[in-house]
Amino acid sequence: MLGISHSGIRLIKQNRLATSGDRLQVLETFSFDMIQQVSSIRNGLCIDIQLAKKTIAIHSQRVRDFL
């Protein structure tokens, strides 16, 4: 999942635990200062986020829901 806050974005993973339900784990955080460019939606399925040292491609069938 992708989380957006006032300070930046977070890549989040949902862990399903039988005993305590769902938990969210932050995998990585990027401040808005680190983000150089965000591409438009390609093929209705993908968004590219260009950071200073790498590019993150986010793929989802649900991207189409926001068009």
Side-chain angles (χ1 to χ4, degrees):
M1 289 188 274
L2 179 69
I4 302 173
S5 71
H6 64 282
S7 61
I9 61 172
R10 292 182 174 93
L11 298 179
I12 302 169
K13 177 181 177 183
Q14 184 176 17
N15 293 320
R16 296 179 192 257
L17 303 173
T19 56
S20 61
D22 293 340
R23 291 190 180 220
L24 299 178
Q25 176 186 1
V26 176
L27 301 175
E28 216 165 340
T29 301
F30 305 103
S31 68
F32 286 125
D33 294 343
M34 296 174 65
I35 300 171
Q36 295 180 344
Q37 182 178 348
V38 177
S39 74
S40 58
I41 298 171
R42 289 186 288 135
N43 302 328
L45 299 173
C46 183
I47 298 172
D48 290 327
I49 301 172
Q50 178 71 40
L51 303 171
K53 296 184 179 183
K54 64 181 170 180
T55 300
I56 299 171
I58 299 174
H59 300 268
S60 174
Q61 295 292 330
R62 299 189 74 188
V63 171
R64 290 182 182 164
D65 296 343
F66 300 103
L67 294 176

